[in-house]
Amino acid sequence: MVQVDLKALLSTDRDTGSLIDTIQSLNSTLCVQDVEGNLILGEQPSAAHKQSISLNGTVIGWVIGQEQEARTVARLIGAEAEIDRLKVLEQNKDEWFWTAAHDLKAPLGLILGYTGLMQDGGTIANEEDLGFLDEIKGAGMRMNQLVLEVLDLMLIEDGKALELETMALQEVLNGSTADLEALIKEKHHSFAYTPPAADLMLQLDPVQMQRTFANLLANAVNFTLEGGQISLTTQRDGDTVTVTLSDTGIGIPADNLPHIFEKFHKVQRGL
């Protein structure tokens, strides 16, 4: 349960002047007490009505005054307290994500590093064991990618992640497709790629944009039955550039379409 300091909530140092003015304008004798009965705002009134201030189902204080006014003020203070509670929860969530992501980077680095040494050292010749190492490395790389995406997401939400520069779109798309060439061949897909003109320059973050296209292309490759068709094309119309990726895969269920841009949303369906 997130604790809210009612005295701090109604402090004149906060940007809650309008709330305090509203309370005082309703009735000069209306007062606010904390849950233990200590006076926080106003003077002890002669009116007997005592209205609880609730936050997430828990009483955090009292408003004493005329009944209708007390009810109104209690709702206003409760709403302000709820805003504070949500801000604290959001901050705690951000701190947890940062800590978890950073704490995962070190052990993942060790796993990937030692797996690479074992693969390249020549000490393991058994094909089955080498296959196990490939699976370990693949799982580690996917986990590392997830950690990087979480860190990127936190930076994006803080408005700090994008590093824009002028760059050829062709260079970005070529980098994205190159990373998936081996997997495309492995699944025997037909891949039609029409690169944009070399002089088509855009202002973008090359790392984030290449990762975006690579993720979309990876989804097309992984969720298309073997021997499928995938195409990547670009079209320019004045100042607008449209990049179209299509495939003969299973697609996204209609009921999932409204959620595809939600953070960490995944469609629970696969081949």
Side-chain angles (χ1 to χ4, degrees), residues 114-186:
Y114 282 119
T115 302
L117 286 175
M118 294 171 69
Q119 287 177 315
D120 300 334
T123 56
I124 298 178
N126 184 283
E127 289 296 327
E128 185 178 14
D129 291 342
L130 288 173
F132 292 151
L133 287 178
D134 285 337
E135 291 184 14
I136 293 171
K137 186 174 183 179
M141 291 178 67
R142 288 191 294 273
M143 188 67 183
N144 190 59
Q145 180 65 27
L146 178 60
V147 169
L148 293 175
E149 289 176 359
V150 169
L151 291 173
D152 284 344
L153 178 62
M154 301 305 295
L155 288 171
I156 289 171
E157 290 187 338
D158 287 342
K160 302 174 183 178
L162 297 180
E163 297 181 3
L164 300 178
E165 59 182 82
T166 301
M167 189 173 184
L169 178 60
Q170 183 184 108
E171 186 175 346
V172 174
L173 292 178
N174 287 349
S176 300
T177 57
D179 293 339
L180 276 298
E181 284 181 357
L183 184 57
I184 292 172
K185 291 179 180 178
E186 180 183 324

Side-chain angles (χ1 to χ4, degrees), residues 6 31-41 44-45 50 53 60-64:
L6 197 58
C31 79
V32 179
Q33 297 177 344
D34 64 19
V35 72
E36 296 175 351
N38 300 310
L39 192 65
I40 293 176
L41 186 68
Q44 189 71 36
K50 188 175 183 180
I53 304 170
I60 61 171
W62 305 92
V63 178
I64 302 175

Side-chain angles (χ1 to χ4, degrees), residues 222-271:
N222 289 321
F223 293 96
T224 297
L225 291 171
E226 188 169 319
Q229 297 177 352
I230 301 171
S231 69
L232 180 64
T233 61
T234 59
Q235 181 178 356
R236 181 174 183 175
D237 183 10
D239 293 333
T240 302
V241 178
T242 303
V243 179
T244 303
L245 176 64
S246 60
D247 59 63
T248 56
I250 61 176
I252 300 174
D255 57 348
N256 277 271
L257 290 176
H259 307 289
I260 58 176
F261 293 110
E262 294 178 5
K263 291 183 291 186
F264 308 117
H265 177 76
K266 286 187 178 294
V267 177
Q268 299 301 313
R269 174 177 164 183
L271 295 178

